[in-house]
Amino acid sequence: MLLGLQQELYLVSSLITVFCAGMMLKFERRFNKGMHFLTLANLTLMLIPLISYIQIKLHVQSPLISQIANNCILLFCGLCYLFYRFKSKPNLSVVFLHCAPFFIFLVVKVAGFHAQTELMYIIYFGLMFSYLTAIWHSHRDTEADTLQGDKRLLAWIIFVVILNGGVAISFLSGALFTYPLWLTLNISICIYLLIFSFKAVYHIKHVQQTHEIEHPSAKKQLQLSPSIAQSCIDELKQLLEEEQVFLDNQLTLAQLADQLGLTQHQTSELLNEHMNKSFYTLLNEHRIHFACELLKKSTTRNNITQIALDSGFNNKSSFYTEFKKQLGTTPSKWRAQYA
C-alpha cells in the first residue's frame, strides 16, 4: 500500500509540475523573462521522481539509471542560478555554460559507469556547493516581494540539493540507508514541486492582474498620434545620440519634456506607450553603452568610479547594479574581455 501511495505521489507531482509549467510559459514571457529558468529547473527536477515512478512501475532496478537521475541536480542548480542571477534573458553562451556540466557528467556516467574516479565526484560536489553559494549571494540582491526574494523557495532549493548530495555520498559508501535517503529525496522533491509550481503560477497571474490594473492600455486615450509620436522619437534619439543628454545625472522627466516641447504626461506616454520603456530604463541603456565605450578606451589603471560618473551615474554602486543587469558581468571583467 505504501509503495502504491509513493508511486502515485511521484506521478501526481510530475503531472502537476508539467501543468504548472505550461501555465507559467503562457504568462511569463510578458512580465519576467527570467522566470522561465525556474520553470525549466522544476521540469528538470521532476525527472528524478518521474524516473523513480517508472522504475517502480516497470520493476526496473538499475544503479546506472538512478545515478543518471541523480545527475539531473546539476542542471537544476545551473537553471536555478540563471533564475536568480538574470532578470532578462542572458546570452546563449552563458546558458550553455551553466548547462554544460550536466551533459558532460551524463556522457561520463553513461560511457564509463564502472570507471568513475574520485576526481569526478569531487568536481560534482564542488559544482553543487559553488552553485548554492552563488544562488545565496544572488538572492541577497533581489527584492523581497519577488520569487527570487522568497526565502522559503531558497531554503527548499538548498535543502533539496544538500539532500541529493547526501544520497550521492551514501551510494558511494555503500551505506544501508541509501534507499531511505533516496525515498526522502523523492518525497521532498514532490513536496517542493507541488508547493512552488503553484506559487510560481500564482505569482505570475498576480503580476498580470496588477499590470492590467495599472496599465489598462486598451482604455487609455492617447494624446500623441502615431505620426507625432514618431517625430518626437526621432527628436529624442537626436537628444540622446548627438547631444548626449543622458550624461546629466540630474536630468528629470520634466526637463526632458521641456527639451522635446511636450508636457510631462505626453513624454511619459511617448516612452511607455510608443517606445515601451521607462524614463530611467532609456537613460541607463545609453549610459551603459557610453560607459562601455569609455571602458574600451581605458586601461586597468583607469578608475571605474570616474567612468561611472562620466557616464551619467550618481555613484559606483548604481553603475555596477545596472551594468550587471544589462550585461551580466562587472565592468572590470567586461573591460578585461572586450577592451
Side-chain angles (χ1 to χ4, degrees):
M1 181 177 176
L2 289 176
L3 186 62
L5 289 175
Q6 174 187 340
Q7 182 178 332
E8 295 306 317
L9 176 62
Y10 293 166
L11 180 60
V12 169
S13 63
S14 298
L15 291 175
I16 289 178
T17 301
V18 172
F19 170 76
C20 290
M23 292 290 291
M24 290 170 70
L25 290 172
K26 179 180 178 181
F27 295 112
E28 66 192 4
R29 289 185 179 180
R30 185 176 173 188
F31 302 106
N32 189 338
K33 295 182 188 277
M35 280 289 294
H36 57 273
F37 289 118
L38 180 63
T39 306
L40 295 174
N42 288 347
L43 288 173
T44 300
L45 195 63
M46 177 201 72
L47 293 176
I48 296 178
L50 184 59
I51 290 174
S52 296
Y53 169 78
I54 294 172
Q55 286 181 308
I56 295 172
K57 189 73 174 177
L58 302 179
H59 305 288
V60 177
Q61 297 298 327
S62 170
L64 176 58
I65 294 176
S66 298
Q67 281 216 49
I68 292 174
N70 185 260
N71 193 47
C72 291
I73 208 72
L74 286 176
L75 186 56
F76 174 72
C77 287
L79 292 169
C80 283
Y81 171 73
L82 293 172
F83 164 66
Y84 277 99
R85 181 65 185 80
F86 296 96
K87 294 183 179 179
S88 58
K89 189 175 181 179
N91 296 330
L92 286 177
S93 58
V94 175
V95 177
F96 177 78
L97 175 66
H98 292 285
C99 294
F102 165 75
F103 293 105
I104 292 172
F105 272 76
L106 185 63
V107 170
V108 170
K109 287 189 176 183
V110 172
F113 175 62
H114 297 291
Q116 299 176 48
T117 64
E118 292 182 1
L119 177 61
M120 191 182 78
Y121 288 108
I122 292 173
I123 297 173
Y124 176 79
F125 289 113
L127 281 170
M128 286 198 299
F129 176 77
S130 299
Y131 272 122
L132 288 181
T133 304
I135 288 170
W136 174 265
H137 285 293
S138 299
H139 161 81
R140 294 170 60 185
D141 297 330
T142 58
E143 298 176 6
D145 60 344
T146 63
L147 270 178
Q148 288 94 336
D150 192 327
K151 293 182 179 180
R152 289 167 295 183
L153 174 61
L154 177 68
W156 268 99
I157 290 174
I158 293 174
F159 172 72
V160 167
V161 174
I162 291 176
L163 186 57
N164 179 83
V167 171
I169 293 173
S170 176
F171 176 82
L172 291 174
S173 61
L176 296 176
F177 50 83
T178 299
Y179 179 74
L181 268 181
W182 176 253
L183 178 61
T184 304
L185 174 65
N186 278 276
I187 294 174
S188 299
I189 289 174
C190 290
I191 294 172
Y192 160 80
L193 291 174
L194 289 171
I195 293 174
F196 289 101
S197 291
F198 276 115
K199 185 176 179 62
V201 171
Y202 169 79
H203 174 78
I204 291 176
K205 293 199 74 173
H206 175 71
V207 171
Q208 182 198 29
Q209 292 169 356
T210 303
H211 179 86
E212 289 174 350
I213 292 172
E214 293 179 350
H215 305 281
S217 55
K219 299 179 181 180
K220 278 188 177 180
Q221 186 65 39
L222 300 181
Q223 296 184 14
L224 301 176
S225 66
S227 59
I228 294 176
Q230 186 57 54
S231 176
C232 293
I233 289 173
D234 293 339
E235 187 176 351
L236 177 57
K237 287 182 178 179
Q238 182 179 355
L239 288 172
L240 292 168
E241 296 173 5
E242 297 181 12
E243 301 184 27
Q244 297 181 324
V245 294
F246 58 86
L247 296 180
D248 180 6
N249 59 11
Q250 300 298 322
L251 183 67
T252 64
L253 181 63
Q255 291 172 339
L256 182 63
D258 288 339
Q259 296 185 54
L260 291 171
L262 302 173
T263 65
Q264 189 169 333
H265 179 78
Q266 289 172 333
T267 305
S268 180
E269 177 191 313
L270 178 71
L271 297 173
N272 295 314
E273 301 298 328
H274 297 279
M275 298 181 68
N276 295 316
K277 291 182 181 180
S278 69
F279 173 65
Y280 288 107
T281 297
L282 181 69
L283 293 184
N284 286 336
E285 284 180 354
H286 283 80
R287 286 168 177 167
I288 292 300
H289 179 75
F290 185 82
C292 288
E293 295 300 317
L294 294 181
L295 287 169
K296 286 180 181 178
K297 299 174 184 177
S298 67
T299 65
T300 53
R301 295 181 181 180
N302 290 102
N303 193 315
I304 290 182
T305 301
Q306 189 58 50
I307 290 176
L309 297 176
D310 290 343
S311 302
F313 288 94
N314 289 316
N315 52 66
K316 182 179 178 180
S317 176
S318 60
F319 172 59
Y320 264 77
T321 300
E322 190 62 32
F323 201 97
K324 284 185 177 181
K325 178 181 175 182
Q326 291 190 32
L327 301 179
T329 185
T330 64
S332 300
K333 291 181 181 178
W334 190 93
R335 177 166 59 184
Q337 183 176 359
Y338 296 102

